[in-house]
Amino acid sequence: MSPSTKTWLSIAGGIGASTLAGMYAFSQLSGKATPEEQAWVYPGDDLIDANYNNGRSSTYAITIDAPAYAVWRIFRQIGCEKSGSFSSEFLERTFARLPFFNSYEIQEEFQQPDSMVPGDIAGFDFNGMSMEWADVVPGKYMVQWVDTKNPPKAPGSYAFRYPFMKHYAAAWCFYMVPLEGGRTRLINHWRVAFEPDTKLAAAINWINIEYIGGCMAHMQNLYVKRVAEFRKKQQWQGRMKRAVLGGKVFGYDTPSGRHDGTPLFDDTYTQWFRYSRQDPTVSEIRPPVTDNPEWPPLGPNTPWSSEIDAQYFEDWEEPEFSWEEQIRQKMEKTYLPDWGKKGKSK
């Protein structure tokens, strides 16, 4: 081995050791809940203890200068299909290969009564790695849970487990304890169990919920604290895209955003997707169209005149969504005849 190779290996080893030591300090020497908080039995622990006798917990906590509901509604948006994980999306995507993209704005579509209810998938990815929301208590706490003995019911989902485990269960829970002075104690709590109860399985789970998971949970608490306290900074890629595609880099004197140069734009890092429902921008040119009896055109000179179904939209209305019909389509790989015709199909 050449001297230069030995040097590079020494440098790489030093970086690796420093990284592992830093992860240990970040996950085990900071961010932890108090001993009393760690020893507490939380709502949702019973889901793990119902099927296993070797449940173990990992609990992190942080005090946030914001009321409990302000913190709770941030977690109401958690999920790969919603506002991300509120931890490091770089680490989530690069190492865990999970499709999390963090959005730190409160969105109307995720704050409705049915935006998160028990039975909904708490998605880690779009391929089926899932937990289910088990308990959703507005303003107080939420529990997502998975167990190979009680797999999630949604088609396409599966109860994940780690190598060397026949069965695995996990509950990932967020509890909000309101404190005096408009503050909140956020409890970020894992409880897991597994079979067979071996030392190898225990080590894997310690790495998962304490070492690597502990870093992510601690980071998640810090991110949520910054969001709730209005201190979260925009990500660098967002700043770059706004500067280049928004025109600042090129010095255009025409604004690209309705609120350019105001805090409502500069401090709003991701767009409010439903805000313009109250007054659609298209109304400045013409009213938005939600019904057009002139479409499709039925004249003889249209591109489709030789094969168009001129009666398709006669006596038609948009069908009510049905999971039963989705299942039938998936299984039979057919669509209902006259789908949407009044009195004929739903």
Side-chain angles (χ1 to χ4, degrees):
M1 186 179 296
S2 67
S4 61
T5 301
K6 290 182 179 180
T7 299
W8 282 112
L9 287 176
S10 297
I11 293 173
I15 293 174
S18 298
T19 300
L20 294 176
M23 290 176 61
Y24 183 86
F26 189 71
S27 66
Q28 301 304 304
L29 305 180
S30 62
K32 284 277 195 175
T34 66
E36 294 78 12
E37 290 171 330
Q38 294 183 53
W40 195 259
V41 176
Y42 292 92
D45 286 354
D46 61 309
L47 296 173
I48 304 302
D49 299 338
N51 287 337
Y52 303 83
N53 58 13
N54 66 339
R56 57 202 63 193
S57 298
S58 174
T59 310
Y60 291 76
I62 198 168
T63 299
I64 300 175
D65 290 326
Y69 182 67
V71 178
W72 188 86
R73 66 177 188 162
I74 293 173
F75 283 100
R76 192 180 199 173
Q77 300 192 175
I78 196 171
C80 65
E81 82 285 19
K82 294 180 180 177
S83 295
S85 70
F86 305 115
S87 190
S88 169
E89 63 176 35
F90 170 76
L91 296 176
E92 299 274 27
R93 296 205 304 269
T94 303
F95 296 102
R97 307 305 297 166
L98 299 177
F100 285 118
F101 292 84
N102 290 333
S103 170
Y104 302 109
E105 302 295 335
I106 295 298
Q107 301 286 1
E108 181 190 41
E109 59 267 38
F110 303 142
Q111 298 296 326
Q112 302 306 309
D114 68 342
S115 295
M116 177 190 286
V117 298
D120 282 358
I121 286 296
F124 286 88
D125 62 23
F126 298 101
N127 301 315
M129 182 182 177
S130 307
M131 301 178 87
E132 260 192 25
W133 289 109
D135 302 327
V136 181
V137 186
K140 295 183 178 181
Y141 66 87
M142 53 192 66
V143 173
Q144 53 184 313
W145 163 71
V146 70
D147 189 343
T148 54
K149 296 182 180 181
N150 301 94
K153 294 183 178 180
S157 62
Y158 63 90
F160 61 90
R161 75 195 80 187
Y162 298 99
F164 311 107
M165 301 175 200
K166 180 179 180 180
H167 283 295
Y168 180 74
W172 189 17
C173 320
F174 308 102
Y175 308 94
M176 291 78 201
V177 181
L179 305 179
E180 294 178 350
R183 300 172 301 133
T184 301
R185 185 67 170 169
L186 168 62
I187 309 295
N188 192 323
H189 176 73
W190 277 93
R191 187 163 179 81
V192 303
F194 45 87
E195 294 177 0
D197 191 355
T198 65
K199 291 182 178 179
L200 178 58
I204 292 173
N205 275 283
W206 184 87
I207 292 172
N208 178 47
I209 66 172
E210 279 286 337
Y211 189 59
I212 298 175
C215 289
M216 300 303 285
H218 186 186
M219 198 175 300
Q220 185 180 56
N221 284 355
L222 292 172
Y223 276 37
V224 170
K225 178 179 174 66
R226 292 173 192 157
V227 173
E229 295 178 355
F230 306 106
R231 297 188 294 107
K232 185 69 182 71
K233 301 300 182 182
Q234 188 178 14
Q235 297 167 339
W236 65 267
Q237 66 266 32
R239 294 195 294 268
M240 288 179 60
K241 288 174 68 176
R242 284 191 174 201
V244 174
L245 301 180
K248 289 184 178 180
V249 168
F250 303 103
Y252 297 134
D253 57 2
T254 54
S256 57
R258 188 65 60 112
H259 305 284
D260 272 18
T262 71
L264 193 57
F265 181 81
D266 294 335
D267 295 336
T268 305
Y269 303 142
T270 51
Q271 55 194 314
W272 297 355
F273 287 100
R274 290 192 178 184
Y275 179 80
S276 293
R277 282 187 172 193
Q278 57 188 334
D279 183 19
T281 304
V282 68
S283 299
E284 297 175 1
I285 298 176
R286 58 159 178 77
V289 177
T290 59
D291 183 32
N292 186 354
E294 303 303 319
W295 184 266
L298 302 177
N301 297 322
T302 70
W304 318 281
S305 59
S306 63
E307 57 181 344
I308 194 167
D309 181 354
Q311 284 78 45
Y312 182 91
F313 287 110
E314 288 184 3
D315 201 28
W316 182 92
E317 62 183 9
E318 185 176 7
E320 181 179 350
F321 183 84
S322 165
W323 281 118
E324 288 76 13
E325 173 57 15
Q326 284 295 106
I327 292 172
R328 191 202 64 77
Q329 290 178 20
K330 177 66 70 172
M331 300 300 294
E332 300 182 13
K333 295 180 172 54
T334 63
Y335 297 101
L336 291 172
D338 297 322
W339 196 16
K341 292 283 189 179
K342 295 179 182 178
K344 292 188 178 181
S345 67
K346 294 184 179 179

